[in-house]
């Protein structure tokens, strides 16, 4: 095995492979910087070029791309308050708050170093788990997957500080949006209002950009001040780097969350950052500054979303089950290059699999260093007057939203959701749970249908399901109750 | 408490949408109706409770001239709605709507440089030299991403509706 690992490392000395890996990294970084242009749009750009390509070279390019999008997507999340991709939504909460205080560089430094470490952790996990992953993935049946989806939905109750009622309501609104289009189990088209566009449901890009991108730009314009209200940039990259290493246990914990969520097919990138953020918020010593610019609120989701890439590759490579949209395209690319995803990736194509592991390590390191090198300049975006920045951003949003299905419906959907989300932002109704509900709607429905049709109502009595149900109850009721008592305690102390 | 009243208004709209959503869901086949019925009824219950809470707070604030209402993580003091903010909000909503209309009428290729120019000059009042540079940059970026990367831009609805 050691020989195979070293042999795979030697593969990376091939100049052609290195060149294509760099191409993947650079495109990944650019796509990550552009808000709303997630990994799926970017990965799909590569597909036409993969046919007949050398599998080592092609995989290095694809994995190089997939590995780094989660690193550079921090730029828009921290500097503009617009998630660069689905996996960097949670970073917005504290990253953007830090940028507004003029500490954008510090947030970026912490974020890139956390991403780098998380990515390397994910690659190591892929290497370690790859041989034992199959039984774990096979052990999860549709009832457990359904309960995990519900757990993902209910964690919003924990995430939305102060008002779990509105958080859960927002998640349900997201679930409602997700049910638009064809039903998975029966030929029924719901809420399509006679339009062909809605047959496949609303595209994630349009919904995500409507929920976050448009309201943030509107907010910037109405406020009339640059993102960073402070006059000078306080804190630096090195400070951020140091803070990541100071919170190494948090990095480790969040990376582990990232890998675990990545391994579970369908949980994907939209949830992992929130889970890591929620866990960090609940487990760190003093969480009173979370949401207002706590550096740990940046470190946790960024470690997790990069580590997740290694985890996602486990079911993709070993079972041929894509864990996310990007890995679905990766899977298609592998087939185009003549590889058969599945157990053969651990026998016949073990060398390719191990090259993927090394590519993950090296791509994350390169991307981290590149972002650190560039961030001092890119961080200056926060000081640009909104009137100078907004028209360009609006054009980017329109162009990006249109790439989803290339239909005018994308723009209309983004606009309508954007206006509603702007008012939600104004009156304090959280928008993030809407996106989580929307993303999990397909899984919610699919696994519910599979469980009911296969097991009837008996699945609800399974031990694993009951354990997960207890966990959901604990999260939904226990979180708010704990916070209520915590707040009462603070109020008492203040009034004393 | 303008925010509280605005929130009550928005929650009322959402409750109304939920009712319409559920009304439609009742007519679906059983398998297709499970998720919409669950999502719609839970949302209706939660939104109804939130609305009721806000209405009670509104009444309390009206009579006692004091209200304590918890703010969510996204709600910050700077979001407080003032008359000036409302005017700016409508102005920029019009700009966003204008962009959509311009893209639909001309297609993004022509609408983008025009919009950039108009916005920077009329709203930002930036010097002509900067505006011209921005327009040229926009055209170059559109050409690069359209011809080299292969992105597809929305065309005018008068030439190609879909």
């Amino acid at each position: 095995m050691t020989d195979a690992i070293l042999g795979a490392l030697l593969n990376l000395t091939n100049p052609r492979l290195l060149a294509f890996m760099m191409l993947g990294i650079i495109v990944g970084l650019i796509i990550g910087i552009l808000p709303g242009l997630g990994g799926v749009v970017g990965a799909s750009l590569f597909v036409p070029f993969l046919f007949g390509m050398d599998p080592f070279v092609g995989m290095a390019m694809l994995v190089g791309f997939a590995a780094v999008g989660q690193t550079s997507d921090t730029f828009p999340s921290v500097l503009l308050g617009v998630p660069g991709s689905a996996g960097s939504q949670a970073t917005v909460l504290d990253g953007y708050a830090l940028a507004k205080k003029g500490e954008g560089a510090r947030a970026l430094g912490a974020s890139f170093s956390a991403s780098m470490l998380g990515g390397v952790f994910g690659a190591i996990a892929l290497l370690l788990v790859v041989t034992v992953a199959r039984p774990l993935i096979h052990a999860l049946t549709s009832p457990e997957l359904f309960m995990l989806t519900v757990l993902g939905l209910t964690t919003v109750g924990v995430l939305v500080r102060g008002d779990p009622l509105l958080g859960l309501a927002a998640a349900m609104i997201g679930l409602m949006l997700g049910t638009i289009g064809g039903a998975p189990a029966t030929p029924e088209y719901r809420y399509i209002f006679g339009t062909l566009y809605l047959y496949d449901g609303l595209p994630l890009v349009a919904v995500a950009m409507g929920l976050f991108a448009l309201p943030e730009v509107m907010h910037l314009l109405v406020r009339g001040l640059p993102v960073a209200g402070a006059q000078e940039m306080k804190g630096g990259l090195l400070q951020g780097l140091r803070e990541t290493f100071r919170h190494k246990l948090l990095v480790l914990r969040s990376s582990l969350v990232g890998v675990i969520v990545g391994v579970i097919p369908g949980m994907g990138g939209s949830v992992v950052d929130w889970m890591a953020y929620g866990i960090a918020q609940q487990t760190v010593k003093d969480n009173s500054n979370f949401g207002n610019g706590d550096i740990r609120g940046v470190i946790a989701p960024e470690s997790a979303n990069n580590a997740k890439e290694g985890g996602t590759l486990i079911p993709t490579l070993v079972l041929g089950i894509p864990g996310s949209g990007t890995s679905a395209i990766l899977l298609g690319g592998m087939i185009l290059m003549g590889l058969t995803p599945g157990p053969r990736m651990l026998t016949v194509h073990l060398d390719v699999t191990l090259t993927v592991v090394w590519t993950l390590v090296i791509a994350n390191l390169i991307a981290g260093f590149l972002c650190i090198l560039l961030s001092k300049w890119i961080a200056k975006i926060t000081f640009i007057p909104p009137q100078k920045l907004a028209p360009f951003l609006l054009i980017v949003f329109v162009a990006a939203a249109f790439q989803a299905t290339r239909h005018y419906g994308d723009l209309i959907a983004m606009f309508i959701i954007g206006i509603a989300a702007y008012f939600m932002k104004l009156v304090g109704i959280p928008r993030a749970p809407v996106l989580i509900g929307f993303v999990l709607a397909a899984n919610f429905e699919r696994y519910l249908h599979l469980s009911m049709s296969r097991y009837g109502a008996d699945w609800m009595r399974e031990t694993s399901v009951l354990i997960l149900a207890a966990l959901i109850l604990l999260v939904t009721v226990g979180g708010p109750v704990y916070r209520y008592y915590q707040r009462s305690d603070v109020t008492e102390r203040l009034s004393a | 408490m303008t925010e509280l009243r605005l929130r009550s208004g928005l929650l009322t709209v959402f409750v109304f949408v939920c009712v319409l959503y559920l009304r439609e869901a009742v007519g679906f086949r059983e398998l297709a109706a499970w998720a919409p019925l669950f999502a719609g009824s839970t949302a209706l219950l939660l939104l109804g409770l939130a609305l009721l809470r806000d209405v009670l707070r509104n009444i309390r604030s009206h009579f006692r001239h004091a209200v304590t209402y918890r703010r969510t993580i996204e709600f910050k003091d700077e979001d407080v709605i003032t008359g000036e903010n409302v005017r700016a909000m409508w102005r920029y909503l019009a700009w966003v709507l204008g962009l959509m209309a311009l893209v639909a009428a001309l297609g993004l290729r022509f609408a983008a440089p025009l919009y950039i120019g108009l916005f920077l000059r009329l709203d930002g009042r930036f010097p002509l030299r900067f505006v011209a540079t921005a327009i040229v940059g926009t055209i170059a970026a559109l050409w690069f991403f359209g011809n080299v990367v292969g992105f597809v831009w929305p065309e005018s609805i008068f030439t190609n509706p879909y």
Side-chain angles (χ1 to χ4, degrees):
Chain A
M1 190 67 175
T2 316
D3 289 344
I5 293 169
L6 290 174
L9 180 61
L10 280 177
N11 279 339
L12 287 181
T13 54
N14 176 354
R16 197 172 130 80
L17 190 146
L18 273 177
F20 275 92
M21 185 180 75
M22 281 307 294
L23 178 71
I25 290 171
I26 289 165
V27 175
L29 289 176
I30 293 170
I31 295 283
I33 291 170
L34 300 172
L37 282 185
V40 184
V41 176
S44 59
L45 292 175
F46 287 114
V47 174
F49 307 106
L50 290 172
F51 188 74
M53 205 180 211
D54 174 25
F56 289 98
V57 175
M59 284 302 282
M61 182 171 75
L62 279 177
V63 174
F65 168 82
V68 303
Q70 302 291 345
T71 307
S72 62
D73 63 359
T74 313
F75 281 118
S77 302
V78 170
L79 304 180
L80 303 171
V82 177
S85 74
S88 65
Q89 295 158 32
T91 312
V92 172
L93 293 181
D94 284 284
Y96 188 51
L98 281 165
K100 282 201 262 189
K101 292 177 188 169
E103 296 182 39
R106 179 184 159 213
L108 289 173
S111 159
F112 297 138
S113 45
S115 295
M116 208 158 38
L117 294 176
V120 173
F121 184 92
I124 295 167
L126 172 63
L127 184 65
L128 293 176
V129 176
V130 91
T131 47
V132 291
R134 276 183 68 188
L136 177 74
I137 292 164
H138 277 307
L140 291 172
T141 55
S142 51
E144 281 106 18
L145 289 167
F146 172 74
M147 295 306 283
L148 282 170
T149 309
V150 179
L151 181 65
L153 274 171
T154 46
T155 41
V156 295
V158 176
L159 295 172
V160 183
R161 192 172 62 183
D163 208 337
L165 185 63
L166 283 175
L168 284 170
M172 288 304 133
I173 292 172
L175 205 58
M176 284 163 65
L177 285 175
T179 58
I180 293 172
T186 178
E188 176 101 40
Y189 290 91
R190 303 165 300 188
Y191 311 107
I192 57 168
F193 308 108
T195 58
L196 276 174
Y197 171 73
L198 291 172
Y199 264 55
D200 287 331
L202 290 165
L204 175 62
V205 173
V207 175
M209 298 197 75
L211 280 171
F212 290 100
L214 264 186
E216 287 309 327
V217 172
M218 279 286 299
H219 179 65
L220 270 181
L221 284 167
V222 171
R223 207 172 60 136
L225 295 168
V227 170
Q231 289 303 306
E232 57 185 85
M233 204 178 289
K234 286 180 282 181
L237 283 166
L238 284 176
Q239 190 190 347
L241 275 165
R242 276 196 298 270
E243 277 171 307
T244 301
F245 286 99
R246 207 170 68 217
H247 298 292
K248 49 189 174 293
L249 277 178
L250 179 65
V251 174
L252 201 68
R253 212 163 49 222
S254 308
S255 302
L256 193 64
V257 171
V259 171
I260 292 168
V261 173
V263 169
I264 301 165
M267 288 297 280
S270 313
V271 188
V272 65
D273 51 332
W274 290 112
M275 281 196 164
Y277 186 87
I279 290 169
Q281 194 184 5
Q282 296 298 317
T283 53
V284 295
K285 269 181 188 161
D286 173 22
N287 67 0
S288 57
N289 204 30
F290 263 71
N292 297 317
D294 193 315
I295 200 73
R296 293 167 299 179
V298 175
I299 292 170
E302 285 305 313
S303 314
N305 66 21
N306 273 60
K308 181 216 75 192
E309 294 304 326
T312 309
L313 284 172
I314 295 168
T316 309
L317 295 174
V318 179
L319 290 175
I321 301 170
S324 66
T326 312
S327 55
I329 294 174
L330 188 79
L331 203 72
M334 285 169 74
I335 295 163
L336 281 176
M337 289 183 288
L339 296 169
T340 315
R344 281 165 66 89
M345 292 302 293
L346 299 179
T347 52
V348 182
H349 301 300
L350 181 66
D351 46 356
V352 178
T353 308
L354 292 172
T355 308
V356 165
V357 173
W358 281 114
T359 307
L360 263 183
V361 173
I362 290 168
N364 272 296
L365 292 175
I366 292 176
F369 281 120
L370 277 178
C371 286
I372 287 167
L373 280 177
L374 295 172
S375 60
K376 200 76 183 171
W377 289 276
I378 298 179
K380 288 180 179 167
I381 289 174
T382 48
F383 295 94
I384 298 174
Q387 272 84 358
K388 217 180 234 185
L389 198 63
F392 296 99
L393 287 176
L394 287 172
I395 298 292
V396 170
F397 297 160
V398 168
F402 192 72
Q403 305 309 314
T405 60
R406 296 174 179 179
H407 192 289
Y408 261 98
D410 295 336
L411 303 186
I412 296 166
M414 181 180 75
F415 180 72
I416 293 172
I417 294 169
I419 300 301
Y422 177 65
F423 283 105
M424 285 169 74
K425 181 180 167 67
L426 272 186
V427 300
I429 299 175
R431 294 160 292 153
V434 180
L435 192 61
I436 294 179
F438 178 78
V439 169
L440 292 179
N443 284 351
F444 179 88
E445 209 163 0
R446 187 184 310 123
Y447 295 132
L448 176 64
H449 167 247
L450 283 172
S451 307
M452 291 300 284
S453 56
R454 196 166 173 196
Y455 306 101
D458 291 344
W459 63 271
M460 293 180 206
R461 287 196 290 269
E462 281 179 29
T463 317
S464 54
V465 170
L466 290 173
I467 291 169
L468 284 167
L471 194 61
I472 290 165
L473 201 68
L474 192 73
V475 166
T476 321
V477 182
V481 167
Y482 171 70
R483 273 205 311 274
Y484 177 79
Y485 281 108
Q486 216 178 20
R487 195 166 33 235
S488 308
D489 186 38
V490 171
T491 316
E492 274 169 27
R493 268 188 278 139
L494 284 174
S495 54
Chain B
M1 290 304 292
T2 318
E3 297 89 12
L4 195 55
R5 287 194 191 123
L6 188 60
R7 189 160 90 174
S8 304
L10 193 62
L11 287 173
T12 310
V13 172
F14 284 153
V15 165
F16 185 65
V17 170
C18 281
V19 172
L20 292 179
Y21 177 91
L22 279 170
R23 210 182 115 193
E24 186 90 358
V26 172
F28 296 145
R29 288 189 190 97
E30 194 189 339
L31 284 178
W34 283 344
L37 284 175
F38 172 81
S41 50
T42 315
L44 185 64
L45 176 73
L46 294 168
L47 288 166
L49 284 173
L51 179 62
L52 184 69
R53 188 183 59 183
D54 276 7
V55 169
L56 290 174
R57 279 174 183 169
N58 250 325
I59 295 168
R60 216 165 49 199
S61 71
H62 182 75
F63 287 107
R64 294 183 191 171
H65 306 289
V67 65
T68 51
Y69 91 94
R70 296 169 199 156
R71 291 170 171 188
T72 66
I73 203 159
E74 291 184 59
F75 193 88
K76 303 283 166 8
D77 290 340
E78 67 198 36
D79 297 329
V80 169
I81 302 160
T82 63
E84 200 180 324
N85 281 355
V86 172
R87 276 192 296 280
M89 183 185 82
W90 289 119
R91 189 167 89 234
Y92 290 115
L93 270 177
W95 271 110
V96 173
L97 190 64
L99 172 63
M100 297 293 169
L102 213 55
V103 171
L106 304 174
L108 187 73
R109 215 165 311 188
F110 298 105
L114 184 62
Y115 184 78
I116 296 272
L118 286 172
F119 192 101
L120 290 176
R121 190 67 193 147
L122 298 179
D123 196 81
R125 303 194 186 282
F126 291 108
L128 272 174
R129 199 172 157 184
F130 174 75
V131 176
T133 315
I135 291 173
V136 172
T138 307
I139 294 169
L142 284 170
W143 179 87
F144 177 80
F145 282 102
N147 295 327
V148 180
V149 183
F151 280 9
V152 176
W153 308 129
E155 297 287 346
S156 162
I157 52 167
F158 299 116
T159 54
N160 180 12
Y162 297 107

